[in-house]
Amino acid sequence: MSESMGSHESAQRVLAGVRDLLPTFRERADETERLRAVPEASVKELEETGFFRLLQPRRYGGLEADPIDFYAAVRDIASACGSTGWVSSVLGVHPWQIALFDDIAQRAVWGDDDTVRVSSSYAPMGKAVVTDGGFTLSGRWSFSSGCAHASWVLLGGLVFDAEGAMVDFRTFLVPRDKYEIVDVWNVVGLAGTGSNDIVVAETFIPAEFTLSMGETGRCKGPGQEVNTSDLYKLQFHSLFTTTITTPIIGMATGAYAEHVQMQQGRVRASFGEKASLDPFAAVRVATAGSEIDAAWALLMNNIREQQAFVARGEKIPISQRLRIRRDQVLGTQRAIDAIDSLFEASGGRALANGTPLQRAWRDAHAGRVHAANDPERALQMYGASEFGHNVDPGMY
């Protein structure tokens, strides 16, 4: 059996295991919000399915699976609990990025324990200064989802030389004993993600534990010398922005199922008729379902096209990267629009604390404000390129 066939079969077993957990995640959704973090039991159960190994290199016990299988699992998890889906998506994609680091860093993370998890905060809130053999890093970063379940963190930082001139923007891989977690996460949506602050006092980070965002933007990384799969030649920002939109589509998927179930038993007070017999309710359901399906189909089709470029040994063109961002931000918007439409049509019972629909509504709108979901910037760049203007793709 070829490695790719084995990986596919293993990924399907992971997906089956994840689906078996969905009723449990639904039952724990209230608890997840109360804790303001995904319960340790949920993380452990996901670990046992192999979910966190999907994008991890085989050299360190991973499956090197198709990213579409990874995103399908994330969508399912988020359909049951938005916060659990969000944290799973974020923690689950990080093994892909760790695979781009120098193998010295990979061994430090997975050499003794290949179940180690990594959280992140990529905004360049910290400052790094070039020193012999590496960098001196310090700062405070916000929104590190799932950080309580991680032993390392990936942090964005602007790099300055000894004269104070900015020379780079890098990601720094920092072990748990070098940072503090500050509990600040008290929010109305995605309340269970535990997206707390990370504080690093001035500490030395070896060069091997850093990645230049310029390099990753060009689909490069020293880890590709040892992790040669096409998986690790995909475009960093395309994968990571999809990581943010996918759980929101999952929330919409769960909201859709909940709405349909509610309407089948609901009698409209104003007319005394079953809501499921209302033709306008049927139109809303059809429209919302189409928006959710379209959002998902476009995201997955774009991954397939990116994989095709890599398989042919071709550079992923800027036009493709911009289209991925166009469809990603609009995928988020489609999912939000679907949830809004269903929530508006669900009646007063949907407002009750503890109901899945109101939680999905809050969680999806919270996810909408993530920096990766900035629609105006992404759409302006795509439109400008279509008009023939030169566009610097930057992070795209």
Side-chain angles (χ1 to χ4, degrees):
M1 180 170 53
S2 69
E3 284 190 350
S4 61
M5 288 179 61
S7 176
H8 175 72
E9 291 183 358
S10 296
Q12 295 310 302
R13 286 194 291 271
V14 172
L15 283 166
V18 165
R19 292 181 187 120
D20 288 343
L21 291 173
L22 299 185
T24 300
F25 293 158
R26 288 190 189 97
E27 291 174 3
R28 287 188 189 139
D30 275 340
E31 177 189 3
T32 300
E33 284 203 311
R34 288 195 304 271
L35 291 174
R36 297 182 298 118
V38 175
E40 186 62 41
S42 295
V43 175
K44 182 66 174 176
E45 288 159 355
L46 281 171
E47 179 185 301
E48 290 171 350
T49 69
F51 169 80
F52 294 112
R53 297 179 183 271
L54 283 170
L55 301 184
Q56 192 163 312
R58 289 194 185 95
R59 298 170 59 251
Y60 292 106
L63 300 178
E64 292 188 11
D66 189 327
I68 288 181
D69 290 332
F70 169 72
Y71 289 122
V74 168
R75 180 189 57 177
D76 288 349
I77 297 165
S79 74
C81 174
S83 288
T84 304
W86 185 274
V87 169
S88 299
S89 192
V90 171
L91 296 185
V93 80
H94 289 149
W96 182 90
Q97 188 183 9
I98 300 301
L100 300 182
F101 278 77
D102 190 289
D103 196 40
I104 292 173
Q106 295 180 53
R107 286 200 303 272
V109 174
W110 292 315
D112 294 329
D113 181 2
D114 59 17
T115 68
V116 164
R117 291 177 294 274
V118 182
S119 69
S120 66
S121 182
Y122 289 101
M125 304 305 294
K127 177 182 178 181
V129 178
V130 178
T131 59
D132 289 342
F135 308 85
T136 300
L137 178 71
S138 61
R140 180 168 182 150
W141 291 259
S142 298
F143 313 124
S144 187
S145 299
C147 57
H149 303 293
S151 303
W152 295 74
V153 66
L154 293 157
L155 300 172
L158 299 177
V159 179
F160 298 84
D161 62 19
E163 287 71 43
M166 193 182 78
V167 294
D168 202 357
F169 172 21
R170 302 184 80 86
T171 298
F172 296 83
L173 178 60
V174 185
R176 183 64 186 87
D177 61 351
K178 299 292 186 181
Y179 62 89
E180 175 189 2
I181 297 174
V182 182
D183 188 348
V184 296
W185 195 243
N186 295 282
V187 292
V188 298
L190 292 176
T193 62
S195 302
N196 287 305
D197 286 5
I198 303 292
V199 177
V200 176
E202 193 169 283
T203 191
F204 174 72
I205 307 296
E208 294 82 2
F209 288 70
T210 74
L211 278 179
S212 170
M213 296 299 281
E215 271 200 316
T216 53
R218 296 191 299 273
C219 303
K220 301 292 185 183
Q224 291 172 338
E225 294 182 7
V226 290
N227 299 315
T228 58
S229 166
D230 283 354
L231 171 63
Y232 304 112
K233 299 172 186 174
L234 298 173
Q235 212 258 331
F236 170 85
H237 291 102
S238 297
L239 280 184
F240 274 65
T241 54
T242 301
T243 296
I244 296 303
T245 292
T246 296
I248 298 175
I249 294 174
M251 296 168 208
T253 302
Y256 179 91
E258 176 69 14
H259 173 80
V260 170
Q261 183 178 21
M262 288 177 65
Q263 297 313 293
Q264 288 174 338
R266 177 187 170 210
V267 175
R268 295 174 62 90
S270 54
F271 300 105
E273 67 177 7
K274 287 187 175 181
S276 61
L277 299 177
D278 180 356
F280 301 107
V283 170
R284 281 198 185 227
V285 165
T287 302
S290 179
E291 290 295 285
I292 296 167
D293 289 347
W296 178 251
L298 283 170
L299 258 64
M300 296 305 103
N301 180 69
N302 285 336
I303 289 176
R304 282 284 179 249
E305 291 193 4
Q306 193 173 131
Q307 288 174 314
F309 281 110
V310 171
R312 293 192 299 265
E314 298 176 7
K315 182 179 179 180
I316 300 169
I318 290 175
S319 60
Q320 171 72 5
R321 298 184 187 196
L322 292 174
R323 183 153 61 86
I324 288 170
R325 283 288 284 143
R326 178 199 71 182
D327 293 340
Q328 177 255 316
V329 296
L330 290 179
T332 293
Q333 191 58 57
R334 284 188 172 97
I336 296 279
D337 289 345
I339 293 174
D340 285 351
S341 176
L342 298 172
F343 187 57
E344 291 166 4
S346 290
R349 294 187 184 279
L351 298 172
N353 288 332
T355 59
L357 193 53
Q358 56 81 29
R359 183 184 299 109
W361 185 84
R362 289 186 289 108
D363 288 346
H365 278 273
R368 169 67 179 79
V369 304
H370 190 282
N373 287 322
D374 179 357
E376 289 81 11
R377 188 175 302 278
L379 297 179
Q380 182 275 330
M381 292 183 70
Y382 177 83
S385 70
E386 288 294 285
F387 286 135
H389 301 307
N390 291 327
V391 173
D392 178 2
M395 69 169 288
Y396 307 118

